[in-house]
Amino acid sequence: MAGNSIGKEFVATSFGESHGRIVGIIIDGCPSGLELAEADIQAEVDRRIPKQPKIVSGRIEKDKVQILSGVFNGFTTGAPITITVANKDLNSSDYEAMKDLPRPGHADYTARVKYGGFNDYRGGGRFSGRITVALVMAGAVAKKLLNLFQVDVFAYAKAIGNVKLDKSLDYEVVRSRRFTTSVRCPDEECAAKMEKAIIEARTEGDSLGGIVEIIAANVPTGIGEPLFDALDADLAKILFSLPAVKGVEFGAGFKAATLKGSQNNDAYQLLDGRVISSTNNHGGVLGGISSGMPIVIRIAIKPTPSIAKEQQTVALSTMENATLKVVGRHDPCIVPKAVPAAESAAAITLADHMIRAGYIPKVLKEQK
Ligand SMILES: Cc1cc2nc3c(=O)[nH]c(=O)nc-3n(C[C@H](O)[C@H](O)[C@H](O)COP(=O)(O)O)c2cc1C
């Protein structure tokens, strides 16, 4: 299956299926000399799934991270790094009926056509949100690398269904509080409303979507390779690769289309000898190159396709119209789990571009 690798210098290759033996990632091109332990990656994986059982799928994998290659004596060697977790909490029988009755909104039908029915459909196979655990593992390595150069990437839930966080919060508040609520919204009052909305949708046998905002702070000016490897293009590519992402916007995004140039342009000014802009409608990228302002991206997440309500579908074996009520364990809203996946995805692409631009050397330090 082509299309499983991303990046040019920091290349992450994803493997595994939802109900197969393992899910993992191979990172090729990580500089040598990065201090890296399983515990670093485990910490990111542990916060992938919110602890509030009412807002997540009943499938709770007790993921134990294993680094199988590329790390020696506690440091990356420069060789490919293989990181895995095992799949254990499986209910594959839930998917037998769906083999014939493709779920509306999921990839069951398109995957069946593309792979002639040989794809592993159990748990959604390669098209499951479970696959994002591999991105979180690669993201943990990318974040460690970026942090050495003071680049910080963090995301939070900005909206769930019709509940929106309208307050603008200080980035430090977002960074430090984003994982303190189950829905990953740093504002407790708004988070409580979001949680309530998810529980209500679930009770009705339905699901909700929402918006995740991603911020990358302290990205140096001048990162990005236009035309086709523009920084915003590559960030959009990895974010659109996350299952259920239906929109990506930078800065003012689609709203910019309604503004006048005089309103949308971000005026430059000097601050301690540095060129900054007084506003950030451009979202930190101009001409595909980082401007030095925070990179601000929002992604739209659709409502979870697998819902308990009855839906119309087609029985593929008989080619007759049919109805389907999806059984099994599903997230009533993908947004809380998408927060760590989105920040990891953005970190992978930023690490790749910082290596390409020469900001991160291939050898981080010499062995004594
Ligand atoms: C973290 C995460 C968890 C997900 N959980 C579910 C789920 O429980 N049930 C479901 O039907 N879809 C879930 N999805 C969404 C599907 O994987 C996705 O909608 C499907 O692969 C079709 O891809 P598309 O929506 O990008 O077109 C999840 C996605 C992510 C990122």
Side-chain angles (χ1 to χ4, degrees), residues 103 105-107 127-129 132 243-244 246 302 304-306 330-331 334 337:
R103 288 169 290 173
H106 215 290
F127 303 89
S128 164
T132 59
K246 288 290 145 188
K302 74 184 193 184
T304 316
S306 301
H330 296 282
D331 295 307
I334 292 162
K337 283 187 188 170

Side-chain angles (χ1 to χ4, degrees), residues 294-307:
I295 297 178
V296 182
I297 316 166
R298 280 175 301 281
I299 56 174
I301 313 267
K302 74 184 193 184
T304 316
S306 301
I307 52 173

Side-chain angles (χ1 to χ4, degrees), residues 274-287:
R274 216 165 64 86
V275 177
I276 62 155
S277 62
S278 47
T279 50
N280 192 14
N281 289 328
H282 67 285
V285 186
L286 286 167

Side-chain angles (χ1 to χ4, degrees), residues 170-182:
D170 190 76
Y171 285 162
E172 186 43 40
V173 172
V174 174
R175 203 187 61 76
S176 60
R177 294 208 204 137
R178 66 200 196 279
F179 286 107
T180 58
T181 67
S182 63

